[in-house]
Amino acid sequence: MRILLIGAGGRLGTAVHQALTARNHTVVTAGRSSGDLRYDITDPAQITALYDEAAQGGQLDAVASAAGSVPYKPVADMTPQDWTAAFNGKVLGQLELVRQGLGRIAPRGSFTLITGVLARSPIVTGSAASMANGAVEAFVRAASVEIAPQRINAVSPTVFTEALDVYGASFPGFPPVDLAAVAQAYVRAIEGPETGRILELGD
């Protein structure tokens, strides 16, 4: 398959890239500051340009996103700008990748988005992440009934084992998940038949 991978330069994206190339897929990487193609997916116009450039190498069979950012603050300290930043950083770009990609990928192609455990299990200061992840997951379920035979799924892991030194204190008692296992969930979503699924890992 020819797969467009967004956020391939990050911790998760690197693992997904390795898993996909190990299975002999052609992976076109994209990101704001690294990758084969340099675009910011929080800007819908740049998503259009990304697809235009990616299409020059041939039709895409799948699009996978491993990118997204949100602010972490107590609810009382959140501002309207913070909520907007969470929506733009985690939700809008991924939804636009799907909307604009419907006519850009193969008729039976797929989209795989990234969410996270905070959609179902909150932590202190994580309200923006919970909101964003929940929005993406609701979209995946809704979009799946409209876009068939194209498919859409989301990968929703808990804290990464490899990131416990940085984030472990914020996720007390949460069983961590190895990046290799998360990457295999992307393989499952891309190569398998499922659609409308939230592939939960680690909790």
Side-chain angles (χ1 to χ4, degrees):
M1 294 183 187
R2 187 165 182 268
I3 301 165
L4 176 62
L5 174 60
I6 315 297
R11 192 191 302 261
L12 173 58
T14 298
V16 174
H17 189 195
Q18 292 172 347
L20 293 174
T21 55
R23 296 182 65 80
N24 297 317
H25 296 301
T26 298
V27 181
V28 181
T29 61
R32 185 179 304 174
S33 57
S34 64
D36 301 319
L37 310 176
R38 307 289 177 89
Y39 293 96
D40 180 358
I41 68 162
T42 65
D43 179 354
Q46 291 200 42
I47 292 176
T48 302
L50 168 61
Y51 275 125
D52 286 343
E53 186 170 357
Q56 294 176 14
Q59 187 175 54
L60 295 167
D61 296 295
V63 175
S65 173
S69 62
V70 298
Y72 284 83
K73 292 182 180 180
V75 171
D77 294 339
M78 292 289 287
T79 67
Q81 292 75 25
D82 290 325
W83 299 121
T84 300
F87 181 79
N88 289 337
K90 190 72 176 278
V91 184
L92 177 63
Q94 296 200 94
L95 271 58
E96 275 294 292
L97 280 171
V98 176
R99 186 186 70 82
Q100 295 194 34
L102 292 174
R104 306 283 199 142
I105 71 169
R108 302 189 70 85
S110 71
F111 300 92
T112 304
L113 309 184
I114 182 67
T115 64
V117 67
L118 299 188
R120 54 194 181 275
S121 298
I123 63 169
V124 175
T125 76
S127 61
S130 293
M131 176 274 293
N133 290 338
V136 174
E137 293 186 4
F139 171 77
V140 165
R141 295 186 182 98
S144 68
V145 304
E146 295 189 35
I147 70 172
Q150 292 176 334
R151 298 181 302 105
I152 181 171
N153 297 287
V155 175
S156 183
T158 184
V159 61
F160 302 143
T161 304
E162 293 84 350
L164 283 175
D165 57 333
V166 179
Y167 300 109
S170 297
F171 292 84
F174 282 65
V177 60
D178 294 346
L179 279 167
V182 184
Q184 287 305 309
Y186 276 81
V187 173
R188 170 181 167 181
I190 292 168
E191 295 186 14
E194 297 168 294
T195 190
R197 290 291 307 278
I198 311 302
L199 303 180
E200 300 176 2
L201 294 99
D203 66 319

